[in-house]
Amino acid sequence: MAKIEFRNVVKRFGAIEVIPEMNLVIEDGEFVALLGPSGCGKSTSLFMLAGIYLPSGGELLFDGHVVNEVEARDRNVGIVFQSYALYPHMSVRDNILFPLRFKKTPRDEAFARVKAAADLVRVAELLERRPSELSGGQQQRVALARALVKEPQLLLLDEPLSNLDASLRLSMRTEIKSLHEQLGVTTVLVTHDQIEATTMADRIICMRAGRIEQVGTPDDLYLRPSSLFVAGFIGSPPINLIAGEAEAGTVTVNGARFPLEGGASGSVTVGLRPEHLRFGETGFAGRIAQIEPMGREILYVVETGMGAVRVLEQGSSAGHSTGEQVMIGFLPENSLVFETARQKLIAGAHVRAPE
Amino acid sequence: MTTIADELTIERRGHAGSASRRRTNFVIFLGPAIVLTILFFIVPVIIDIAVSFTDLSRSLHISEFTTEQYAKVFRTDRRLSQVIGLTFIYVFGTLAIFNVTFGLILAITTTAIRNVSGSFFRGVWLLPRMSPSVLYILLWLWAVSPTEAGLVNQVLMQAFGLDAPLDLLTSAPIALIIISNGFIGASMGMIIFTAAIRGIPEHLFHAAAVDGAGTFAKIRFITLPALRWPISFVTIYQTLSLLVSFEYILLLTKGGPFYDTTVYALYVYRRAFESGQYGYGAALALFLIVIGVVVALIGWRFFDMERLLQRPRIEVH
């Protein structure tokens, strides 16, 4: 197990600076997720942890020791790749055994550990097969077993669920999380899927264009996103962002006036999550333009004076139809106010629905 | 319910139209290839078989039909066993040292270094293949010239203080034909292996590095297994091509000294066109075809090509 630290870590590929400067501490035994869109540098960070890429600057520390120049094979790290990267010409047993080959593990002990790792991820009956004879989910488990068999001090997961179908993804999510609880190994998950990040990780590191945008628990990122980017990235369906002007305790959006709590002035962006909006007697007015049933919930797209607003209602409150005039209300504490110019959250600022 | 095969048949009929249209298409598209195949492959084999049963010689006069030529091949020609032995050394020596092993080393090293330098070195190794064979061999003749002007002798005498110039064409002719052929032959394996190495997904090397593999372990456990098919292919293909090629040897040593570097294909040439024993040459050539087919079949079996051809070589995700 290890405590991981990025100190002013820089990564360049030729002239391109993929990670300008990264500072981050991952506690021993923690499960963190690196979350962000493609090209945000999350996989690059993970590959630096694995030793596949070496940092161009700064220091990377495992348990207080600088590991910048330590080669991948000496780091004792386990990794599961997006494509699983199982060795195609080896049986499942040899795949799982592979890391132990280089550790000079005695034969009997090695076989026992392969067996134990295979049992842990429930692939014991597949040991004689080739990777090409396995389903995607089975390959995923074998890749996990291979990463875990050497008892790594750090487990890295690179988009491990993205090649699985929806139901399998759900069960693997639970399994990986319980594996982490069982083994307590420091785990770093890279994903672009916010649901994966929020469901599995203790802490989320939200990245954008090589920089860390926000670090926090899933609740922090959802309830108190530090920037417009994080607010837009976390939550599904995405948050409604409405641009307006703040002046003397009121935010004015295209004629509609929202009373403002907390200090803010100038151009602001009001963030309202679809699931926090409710149809009611008061609030701002609109006309239902589109209805998208999602099973348990229904997503309404409502045309209002401030543009299209998404409202997520429980299925039981059905009975609305397209073209219907509605009033939309919300609780002030669920509203977010951002400074438009700096894209940052104004802490403590909330708006109330117009009376 | 129609199967896919049925649908394809219907589709083909629809496009090809009537039977006469199909005949026309057949003649247009396959006609030229069939004519060439018959003219340059089938007819020569038939002529060869016919000639091998005659006593055709320099006079170009056939006096009788006979199986005497085959009696010679299998019984009376004492030199033939020596020629076959030499051919074996030449073919497998060139293959084992250059066409496969050295080709593999070139492919692995030129893909491991920077792309620009890698391409440059591969380009250099392709040069002999691109240059005319006569020119290539002229350079060799200069390099191994038994006088002090020869490249090898210059290096040995000036840099290593050798007293008298070496005559490699006389003292090491077999090594020379293997090296001169191998320098050309290695480039084919190099190109095919390079393409195959490029086709190995990079994450496999990453995974192996994280699992603790060093450079040689990566080559052994990732690269070589992925090259099984190309290695088998290059081995069989080059065996056949080495078996029948003799132009570099003819140019370099003329098969000499005496018969020391006369490989089987060159022996056929010398018997038929130098000694004028056309009938015997034809019989030898036919026997070479048989040897080629047998070697190819053994290789096919040995490398289990059938299975390799059916199975996907690398998993694609």
Side-chain angles (χ1 to χ4, degrees), chain A residues 259-282:
Chain A
L260 178 69
E261 299 169 358
S265 63
S267 290
V268 293
T269 303
V270 175
L272 296 168
R273 293 201 182 273
E275 55 273 35
H276 292 152
L277 297 178
R278 288 285 167 270
F279 294 139
E281 302 301 314
T282 59

Side-chain angles (χ1 to χ4, degrees), chain A residues 171-212:
Chain A
S171 62
M172 277 315 286
R173 223 159 69 186
T174 322
E175 268 183 59
I176 291 176
K177 192 166 179 173
S178 68
L179 264 181
H180 173 256
E181 275 158 19
Q182 204 176 327
L183 303 171
V185 57
T186 314
T187 305
V188 180
L189 165 79
V190 156
T191 179
H192 64 271
D193 184 325
Q194 42 123 355
I195 310 263
E196 272 177 31
T198 51
T199 50
M200 291 160 79
D202 303 326
R203 262 195 323 153
I204 296 172
I205 294 115
C206 188
M207 294 183 71
R208 178 198 196 183
R211 289 177 193 283
I212 293 177

Side-chain angles (χ1 to χ4, degrees), chain B residues 32-49 286 289:
Chain B
I34 289 173
V35 169
L36 287 174
T37 310
I38 291 173
L39 218 54
F40 292 107
F41 288 95
I42 296 175
V43 170
V45 169
I46 292 168
I47 293 176
D48 186 89
I49 294 172
L286 203 68
I289 295 176

Side-chain angles (χ1 to χ4, degrees), chain A residues 272-328:
Chain A
L272 296 168
R273 293 201 182 273
E275 55 273 35
H276 292 152
L277 297 178
R278 288 285 167 270
F279 294 139
E281 302 301 314
T282 59
F284 55 96
R287 189 184 62 87
I288 296 177
Q290 211 178 320
I291 301 176
E292 295 176 16
M294 297 170 69
R296 192 166 50 86
E297 290 148 336
I298 298 175
L299 180 67
Y300 296 92
V301 180
V302 183
E303 289 295 344
T304 69
M306 50 210 92
V309 169
R310 287 175 296 271
V311 179
L312 196 66
E313 282 272 7
Q314 295 298 321
S316 57
S317 62
H320 299 286
S321 52
T322 5
E324 193 180 326
Q325 294 291 333
V326 286
M327 297 296 276
I328 302 169

Side-chain angles (χ1 to χ4, degrees), chain A residues 47 50 52 72-73 77 79 81 83 85-90 98-99 101-102 130-132 139 146 150, chain B residues 203-215 217 220-222 225-226 311-315 317:
Chain A
F47 283 3
I52 294 165
R73 57 172 164 162
V77 159
I79 184 165
F81 291 90
S83 57
L86 297 178
Y87 309 120
H89 52 277
M90 292 182 201
F98 194 71
R101 251 176 209 282
F102 304 101
R130 292 288 177 109
S132 54
Q139 291 189 30
R146 185 179 65 183
K150 57 180 151 180
Chain B
H203 54 238
L204 286 183
F205 292 107
H206 290 164
V210 173
D211 284 345
T215 308
R220 182 176 154 207
F221 293 109
I222 310 294
R311 217 161 49 90
R313 274 153 281 150
I314 289 168
E315 262 118 274
H317 295 287

